Structure formats: structure tokens, C-alpha cells
Amino acid sequence: MIVDILTLFPGMFTGPLTESILKRAQQAGLIHVRLHNIRDWATDRHRTTDDAPYGGGAGMVMKPEPLAACIRAVLALPPGATAAESPASPPVILLTPDGEVFTQAIAQELAGAERLVLVCGHYEGIDERVREALITRELSIGDYVLTGGELAAMVVVDAVARLVPGVIDAESVAEESHGDGLLEYPHYTRPAVWEGRPVPPVLVSGHHGEVAKWRRRERLRRTLLRRPDLLERARAAGRLTAADLAWLAELGWPSQAPQTGP
Ligand code: 6GU
């Protein structure tokens, strides 16, 4: 997978991309990240990339020309062309706090792409006309405001890259939190007793069936306590078995009868 990242601050990416799993994935040729400095596409003497907003108000807006030129160069589109006019073009994703909230389901979808183009917004935002002409999707990583899209782009690259086949162990991906809409079960390793706290006996019993049942129940318990919204979604999607629902009933879920019509 090729990931093109368009940013005013390419230096922000060196740490995350040159350590740990993302480093290995790139060395193995599974992902290839290319950084593009939007400022290189500014044409004036001061290499200006922002300007005051029409209509007044606080903050600065990213100018359309350098950003559009950078996007078009990365897509190899002629000036004036829109992203939609390029057949089989990669998604051009703007990282912005008013985008669709990034989820594991979106990470899975993006992991199937051959190429992604990520555009990091800065200042108060980008000129709306660039959005209309060249952006095909907008993502936010949550309901809080960052100083720019760079950290969000790193989050997206990390979450997507680990789903690219070969980057990490397939079993870890299959079992993890959010993959099937439930949180993970608690994990333990040696020693068997740590500071007076023993490991749950079932885990050292050697009964694989009992271990699997305990883990499923702990996932359901944890999801109920921490993220009941995910549990409701799993139920609505038919991902909970009769045994799951019986266990959840023991735990007191649902605490109220579901709301019916008016
Ligand atoms: Cl994608 N950008 C910014 N600036 N803030 C955010 C965000 C993105 N996602 C959450 N907060």
C-alpha cells in the first residue's frame, strides 16, 4: 500500500514512521509512506500557504492554490481537474475535526485500498473550494480539536497499516478490541501470583473450552461496564448468541426494557 501524506510539517512524521511496527512494515515493503510538503507548491517569494478568512474572524485559512497544486501533483492530475475526474484514483482524505469519525470499520475499509492520499489541514481549515474540487472523504479521529491533521493522519496510518496482510500476526487482528464490536478480555502472564494477586484459576486449568467461555464472558462484562453503546450495536447486528444474551441477563442487561414506539 502506498500512502501519500500532504502536510506543512513533514518533520512531525519522522518519529512514528521510523519506529516499531510501522518501521518494519516499510522495511518489508508492505507499506510505503511518501511525505509531500505543501509549502513546496507555494509560488510567492515568502512561500505563503495561509491567508485571512473572507468575511473576517479569527485565525487563518489554508490558501487554495498551493494545496490544490500539491494534491494534483500527487495524483498527477492536470491543473483545473477534480479528483472525481481521475478514474480509479485513490481516495483523497482530508483530516479535519468536522469529518466522519474514524472507526475500526473505516480502518478495515481503507486497508483494502492500494493507495491512500491523506491531506493534513492546518490553521482554521482549508478553503472550501479545494474540498469541493479535490477531497473525496473527510475523517476526524474524535470529538476534540487538535492543532492540525498530522497527528490524526498518523493515527489513521497506524490503524490501517496494522490491518495490511503481513504487518502483524493475523490472529492478533482477529481477536482484538473493536474488530467484532466487543472489547478485549483481560490478559495475564507470569508470575502466577503477583503482589498477592493470583491469575484467574481457569486460565491455568488447561481446559481450552472453559478458557474460551471465560474470555467471551469477560469481553461481554467489560463491554457492558465500559461501552454499553457497543453492546447495543452488537445486539442489533446479530453478533450476540443466545448464550451471550443469557450471560448479559445475569449481569443485569438490559437494565431497562428497550424503548418502543410512541
Ligand atoms: Cl482530523 N484534525 C484536527 N485538527 N483535530 C481533530 C481531528 C483532526 N480529529 C479530531 N480532532
Side-chain angles (χ1 to χ4, degrees):
M1 169 184 284
I2 294 171
V3 184
D4 287 297
I5 301 177
L6 285 59
T7 172
L8 286 167
F9 303 99
M12 284 181 74
F13 291 84
T14 46
L17 294 173
T18 55
E19 297 283 347
S20 186
I21 291 170
L22 290 182
K23 176 184 182 177
R24 259 198 292 122
Q26 289 183 95
Q27 286 171 341
L30 297 168
I31 63 165
H32 181 45
V33 180
R34 304 188 292 203
L35 294 166
H36 307 274
N37 191 340
I38 296 163
R39 194 173 300 279
D40 292 343
W41 297 89
T43 51
D44 66 311
R45 205 158 58 82
H46 302 289
R47 302 218 293 159
T48 310
T49 55
D50 65 327
D51 203 345
Y54 273 117
M60 298 289 270
V61 177
M62 281 172 75
K63 284 171 65 61
E65 307 94 319
L67 181 55
C70 185
I71 295 171
R72 289 195 175 110
V74 165
L75 294 175
L77 287 175
T82 68
E85 284 163 13
S86 168
S89 65
V92 181
I93 301 169
L94 175 68
L95 284 309
T96 173
D98 52 11
E100 176 187 6
V101 177
F102 184 60
T103 60
Q104 189 66 21
I106 297 175
Q108 274 153 1
E109 184 189 336
L110 298 181
E114 272 176 43
R115 188 177 167 207
L116 300 175
V117 176
L118 303 180
V119 178
C120 303
H122 238 272
Y123 309 112
E124 295 310 299
I126 73 170
D127 189 285
E128 189 67 18
R129 294 163 295 182
V130 177
R131 279 181 154 169
E132 293 166 4
L134 291 166
I135 300 297
T136 63
R137 189 164 191 176
E138 305 192 1
L139 295 177
S140 160
I141 61 163
D143 293 337
Y144 40 82
V145 181
L146 305 169
T147 55
E150 282 76 12
L151 287 165
M154 291 180 225
V155 166
V156 169
V157 170
D158 190 280
V160 170
R162 61 188 292 291
L163 298 176
V164 170
V167 172
I168 61 167
D169 180 34
E171 223 179 307
S172 317
V173 173
E175 282 191 2
E176 71 205 359
S177 290
H178 297 290
D180 66 356
L182 297 178
L183 302 184
E184 272 201 67
Y185 51 79
H187 301 277
Y188 299 88
T189 187
R190 285 176 288 189
V193 181
W194 175 72
E195 296 189 355
R197 300 165 190 265
V199 164
V202 62
L203 298 180
V204 291
S205 69
H207 293 125
H208 296 301
E210 289 301 308
V211 169
K213 183 173 154 188
W214 180 86
R215 285 178 168 170
R216 181 76 184 174
R217 288 181 163 208
E218 290 306 310
R219 295 185 71 200
L220 293 162
R221 185 206 304 278
R222 188 161 274 199
T223 310
L224 172 60
L225 285 173
R226 299 181 181 189
R227 295 294 304 276
D229 57 313
L230 295 182
L231 211 49
E232 184 46 50
R233 228 186 289 170
R235 189 199 59 75
R239 289 194 303 262
L240 300 180
T241 66
D244 291 340
L245 292 168
W247 168 241
L248 288 164
E250 275 186 58
L251 297 175
W253 187 78
S255 49
Q256 289 168 315
Q259 298 293 309
T260 48

